[in-house]
Amino acid sequence: MITLELPGHGQAPAEADSGTFEGLARSLDDWLVKENLTGIDMVGIPLGAGLVLEIARRGRAGSIVALDPGTFWQGWERTFFRPTKTASIALVRALRPALPALTRNVTGRTGSMPQLSARPWALDPGFLLNELQSFVDTPTFDSLVKDLAPGQMQEGPATRSTRVVVGRVTVTATAAGIAL
């Protein structure tokens, strides 16, 4: 299994267009071609789910599993996403020094992840702390939220031969994850 850090996420430097869905899709597509990995099976969660669906639409993926792709959001979800995610990340940034204590507390976990987890109280405190800090540290987070909220609906794969499984696991989600 290969896991990726998208440009502007984790330790990967941002590229000029990595604050947009199309820019991240281009980066992923370019990387797959460069590494001679087009046609491989892929799994993605929220942002990564939309990206693997896009790679399939371009005809460059084998079978894919897309869990909770934000690119499938319907009207009210898109309207709800931007202001609530913007407010949530502003609060997480303001509370950053207190995040270790908040994530060790059931109430803190529940209050910090309702958009991203169906059962936030059950999340591992260390995992949640890492996730919240990664959102704060992602330089493209705000521009991606701005780009994704009004973005286009996801299109289907280029060919019928691509096996696609899509699952909706939360109301809305933004975390980026791709496994190849």
Side-chain angles (χ1 to χ4, degrees):
M1 178 168 58
I2 302 167
T3 58
L4 297 178
E5 285 186 344
L6 297 168
H9 293 77
Q11 301 301 308
E15 296 175 357
D17 60 353
S18 56
T20 66
F21 180 81
E22 180 55 36
L24 291 176
R26 181 205 48 78
S27 295
L28 177 56
D29 198 9
D30 290 351
W31 183 83
L32 289 167
V33 170
K34 178 182 164 215
E35 298 297 324
N36 197 29
L37 293 172
T38 58
I40 64 170
D41 298 339
M42 294 185 250
V43 176
I45 56 173
L47 177 56
L51 290 170
V52 299
L53 285 165
E54 176 61 18
I55 297 302
R57 188 194 66 75
R58 295 176 182 193
R60 296 193 185 275
S63 297
I64 64 166
V65 175
L67 297 176
D68 204 22
T71 50
F72 274 25
W73 294 328
Q74 299 300 309
W76 73 268
E77 292 171 305
R78 289 174 176 275
T79 302
F80 178 80
F81 173 73
R82 186 173 179 186
T84 59
K85 186 50 60 191
T86 300
S88 295
I89 195 62
L91 181 60
V92 169
R93 286 177 178 141
L95 295 174
R96 186 172 193 158
L99 289 178
L102 287 171
T103 56
R104 286 191 302 266
N105 178 289
V106 170
T107 303
R109 288 193 302 275
T110 301
S112 63
M113 292 294 277
Q115 279 185 289
L116 303 176
S117 174
R119 298 178 52 216
W121 58 87
L123 294 172
D124 175 77
F127 168 80
L128 179 56
L129 177 61
N130 184 58
E131 287 294 296
L132 293 175
Q133 288 175 332
S134 73
F135 295 155
V136 170
D137 293 339
T138 299
T140 57
F141 191 92
D142 295 330
S143 57
L144 281 167
V145 168
K146 185 178 179 181
D147 183 62
L148 288 169
Q152 295 182 354
M153 291 292 292
Q154 187 78 49
E155 295 180 38
T159 68
R160 297 238 184 250
S161 63
T162 300
R163 291 182 46 152
V164 176
V165 176
V166 177
R168 296 288 306 263
V169 292
T170 63
V171 175
T172 59
T174 61
I178 299 175
L180 308 171

